[in-house]
Amino acid sequence: MLSSSLRHLSLHVPHLSLRNALCGALAAAACVGLSGCGIGLATTGTTSTGVAFSGSVHGGQQPLSGATIGLYAVSTTGYQTASTQLLTIQPVTDINGNWNITGDYTCPAGSYVYATATGGNPGLTPGTVNSKIGLISAIGLCSTLTPSSFITINEVTTVAAAYALAPFAASETAIGTSSTNVTGLKNAFAVIPNLVTGNGYARLTTAAGNGTAPQAEINTLADALAACINTNGSTATCTTLLSAANVSTTAGTPVDTAQAAINIARNPGVNVASIYSLSSSSGPFQPTLTAAPNDFTVQITYTGGLSQVQGLAVDATGNVYATNSTGGNMTEFSPSGTVLATLTSPTMYRPQQIGIDLAGNIWTESRANTNPVTAASLIEFSSNGTLLSGTNGFTGGGLNTPRGLAIDPRGNIWAVGNSELSEFTSAGTPVSGSGYTNAGLFAVNFEMEFDTLGNAWIPSTDANANSSLEEFVPVSAASNASGIYGGTFNTYATTTTNYPISVAIDASNNVWASDVYGGSTTFGSGAGSLTEYTNAGVELSPTLGYQNGGILQPQTVVIDGLGNVYSAQSQVGVISKTGAAIAPSTGYQTVNANDCCLAAAIDGSGNYWTSGLNYLYQWVGLAAPVVTPRVKAVVNGTLAARP
């Protein structure tokens, strides 16, 4: 855990120095929280000879003897592809569950590794072997293993690894990422110390001390695994567990408890009651949930100077930025939820949406203020937190109460307000004159987004409660150094469009809008829906929109790397790109239904982030990884695709 002196570093410390200090402390903290101290910040290196190290395996707190130990390197040839077994000779645990690896392996350059235990006797009659036993413990970078590394493997380490690595995993022998998303994999490993300690206990407080982990839920899941592990494998408890984890979206009935844990993590709303029934108040891991939950999503809650968070964005390294609307600043979090910095400007007032450009610079908008008197502006920070937009920000271009911001494929910055659309170059020069205006443009929302064609999409509800989806098609001016001047508005409105707030673009450039009051033709009523349009404004969704998969008055909409669509308000609804329900009809329930969700984002590890007034929520491994920052996906044509 970070020392109190580091956690309270004042904001006058240069941003980069603060980040480096924190990252160094976090690496040390990870050695406490992650088995084997293997987590590291680098992803490159050379092939190295393995060292001898040791560990232990327990099933439900009982030593597991005769279990076979594996050491696997995560594949970088594709998602869910076969991992590489590194051991020439796999050791077997002794009667106390202990094991030793002698160093007869080689660490591939930059490889991330994990240990497994399969089979074995959980303390039953000698000669008993439970073939349904499968356990995992994430380690981290192979090259950071030392002779003092001691790896604990049990049900809790298995649950933690299963959730964090769910977007990359099909089973304990098939965990893989693409060669272009090692950063996402690295960040997934970095989350695990927030869930489990080095000696295999579920955490209540995260490693850095500014977050709360779902200890009782993780223990409940661990006890459900233990109900099968502490048997000969042929009992009703094993049958119940493996059957409950047999879901159509995975490879079928799991062969052991490790694959069952991965299946549950990938399908947290399926067969919840059956899984919960396997745990008990007398189970080996305590405390546990006292009643069956709505779902088994794993959420970590973070704090850190947050104040009515209205916007979230993820940069190329996986850091998460949140706008504090009432605080007048932005907070930067590491991929594992540690506060790295607070970004401030003398004139930042009521910031809402965030844009991160290809250079890694962070943009937000600022409304006009009366005390002190300031004009509406755009605020820009460098990737190391240096204020680039000056004391007063970038002004002009017709900025008027800006509420939404996005970056186009050319790198120009756009902001939308109550009646106008403003455009700036990447240097902060306004090129939209007094603003591009349209009678139907009235942004009560906090969002706008660009498709890969360079067109801007803005959900709108005017002062007379008329709702529409606005498209702005810029006119290219190749002879002008600024790139774009002017354009054309297209207004799309149907009976489905009912107070839209958020938009997202999928891989086909179709536009998804979250209608807070969708499902009704009467403004201000309805349970809410998602509406899908083609890029030409033709409605694709059913009459009154999609209302399945737990969708309830959605304030946000984002799309993951497989095209699944996530909406959130007091609960999270998820549907596939074809509109099929993924979340249950009750949605995935939030930790605090009264404090979620004003903004949402997905990172390169597949974590789904949502915000409340004073908290940041990380839904561990819930989604498929996406390309970050978003503008990179716009430029490369990889929206709603995995990196």
Side-chain angles (χ1 to χ4, degrees):
M1 188 175 296
L2 286 176
S3 67
S4 59
S5 60
L6 271 177
R7 288 201 305 271
H8 293 93
L9 279 172
S10 62
L11 295 179
H12 73 270
V13 177
H15 175 86
L16 188 57
S17 297
L18 174 60
R19 176 186 290 172
N20 289 342
L22 285 168
C23 286
L26 281 175
C31 287
V32 175
L34 187 63
S35 299
C37 307
I39 198 68
L41 299 180
T43 57
T44 59
T46 58
T47 299
S48 59
T49 301
V51 300
F53 65 99
S54 59
S56 68
V57 183
H58 284 73
Q61 309 284 25
Q62 299 299 316
L64 186 63
S65 62
T68 301
I69 301 301
L71 180 65
Y72 288 89
V74 176
S75 169
T76 57
T77 61
Y79 293 90
Q80 289 93 41
T81 53
S83 308
T84 301
Q85 170 62 266
L86 299 181
L87 298 178
T88 304
I89 300 175
Q90 294 181 250
V92 175
T93 57
D94 63 21
I95 196 166
N96 296 313
N98 296 320
W99 51 270
N100 293 281
I101 289 176
T102 60
D104 62 334
Y105 64 96
T106 299
C107 289
S111 60
Y112 282 80
V113 297
Y114 59 95
T116 64
T118 54
N121 186 341
L124 303 177
T125 304
T128 301
V129 175
N130 183 351
S131 62
K132 301 300 190 298
I133 292 176
L135 295 167
I136 315 171
S137 184
I139 296 173
L141 277 173
C142 185
S143 59
T144 58
L145 283 166
T146 70
S148 63
S149 297
F150 189 88
I151 312 301
T152 297
I153 308 175
N154 66 9
E155 291 89 343
V156 174
T157 67
T158 301
V159 171
Y163 273 83
L165 301 178
F168 306 94
S171 70
E172 70 265 40
T173 60
I175 302 178
T177 187
S178 68
S179 60
T180 53
N181 194 26
V182 176
T183 295
L185 177 71
K186 175 191 75 173
N187 292 339
F189 269 79
V191 173
I192 296 172
N194 284 340
L195 300 175
V196 60
T197 65
N199 55 358
Y201 289 96
R203 284 188 178 273
L204 180 59
T205 302
T206 58
N210 70 311
T212 302
Q215 182 186 61
E217 180 188 6
I218 291 174
N219 282 338
T220 297
L221 289 166
D223 282 350
L225 299 184
C228 175
I229 289 171
N230 288 335
T231 71
N232 61 11
S234 61
T235 61
T237 53
C238 277
T239 300
T240 298
L241 175 67
L242 300 183
S243 295
N246 178 12
V247 287
S248 60
T249 53
T250 61
T253 304
V255 299
D256 59 26
T257 55
Q259 189 177 359
I262 291 168
N263 282 12
I264 293 168
R266 288 168 60 89
N267 303 272
V270 178
N271 298 326
V272 173
S274 294
I275 296 166
Y276 175 79
S277 71
L278 296 170
S279 66
S280 72
S281 59
S282 60
F285 300 100
Q286 297 295 324
T288 56
L289 298 174
T290 58
N294 175 80
D295 57 77
F296 277 118
T297 55
V298 166
Q299 302 164 54
I300 304 175
T301 304
Y302 299 106
T303 59
L306 299 172
S307 177
Q308 195 172 354
V309 177
Q310 300 282 9
L312 292 175
V314 183
D315 70 14
T317 66
N319 291 338
V320 180
Y321 294 81
T323 53
N324 300 305
S325 182
T326 57
N329 54 42
M330 282 193 288
T331 305
E332 180 189 9
F333 291 83
S334 74
S336 56
T338 301
V339 176
L340 294 178
T342 299
L343 308 184
T344 63
S345 163
T347 57
M348 192 188 302
Y349 179 66
R350 295 282 183 180
Q352 295 191 173
Q353 200 169 1
I354 303 170
I356 300 176
D357 63 27
L358 289 177
N361 298 328
I362 303 101
W363 296 77
T364 191
E365 75 288 278
S366 176
R367 300 188 205 175
N369 195 4
T370 57
N371 186 23
V373 177
T374 57
S377 65
L378 298 186
I379 308 295
E380 180 189 15
F381 296 91
S382 70
S383 60
N384 66 7
T386 301
L387 180 65
L388 299 178
S389 49
T391 301
N392 299 316
F394 299 125
T395 59
L399 280 175
N400 176 22
T401 318
R403 291 171 175 261
L405 180 147
I407 301 174
D408 72 14
R410 294 173 178 240
N412 284 3
I413 318 302
W414 298 68
V416 61
N418 284 345
S419 61
E420 81 300 312
L421 185 60
S422 302
E423 179 187 7
F424 290 71
T425 69
S426 59
T429 303
V431 294
S432 49
S434 57
Y436 310 134
T437 60
N438 184 48
L441 185 66
F442 191 89
V444 300
N445 59 301
F446 314 135
E447 278 203 33
M448 65 180 293
E449 297 292 0
F450 277 91
D451 60 29
T452 61
L453 303 175
N455 302 329
W457 293 87
I458 309 162
S460 178
T461 299
D462 67 19
N464 297 314
N466 298 308
S467 296
S468 64
L469 183 63
E470 300 291 325
E471 178 191 22
F472 184 74
V473 182
V475 174
S476 176
S479 61
N480 190 301
S482 299
I484 299 175
Y485 280 131
T488 303
F489 280 99
N490 295 316
T491 298
Y492 306 113
T494 68
T495 55
T496 302
T497 311
N498 199 336
Y499 204 83
I501 279 187
S502 177
V503 290
I505 317 295
D506 67 18
S508 300
N509 273 328
N510 293 335
V511 184
W512 296 73
S514 65
D515 294 302
V516 174
Y517 300 122
S520 172
T521 58
T522 303
F523 183 82
S525 63
S529 67
L530 294 179
T531 309
E532 180 186 10
Y533 299 86
T534 69
N535 197 258
V538 177
E539 188 174 351
L540 296 175
S541 46
T543 302
L544 302 183
Y546 294 111
Q547 296 179 278
N548 55 332
I551 297 168
L552 178 65
Q553 294 189 330
Q555 295 194 46
T556 66
V557 57
V558 293
I559 302 176
D560 75 6
L562 292 175
N564 298 323
V565 186
Y566 294 68
S567 65
Q569 202 256 2
S570 58
Q571 64 189 41
V572 172
V574 187
I575 60 176
S576 72
K577 57 186 175 184
T578 61
I582 292 177
S585 60
T586 52
Y588 296 136
Q589 296 294 306
T590 62
V591 171
N592 185 351
N594 296 320
D595 190 51
C596 191
C597 303
L598 299 175
I602 298 172
D603 64 23
S605 302
N607 300 309
Y608 175 58
W609 297 80
T610 58
S611 69
L613 292 177
N614 303 303
Y615 297 97
L616 185 62
Y617 304 101
Q618 182 183 32
W619 303 61
V620 179
L622 183 63
V626 300
V627 175
T628 60
R630 185 185 185 279
V631 69
K632 181 178 178 181
V634 173
V635 170
N636 295 341
T638 52
L639 288 172
R642 292 181 295 190

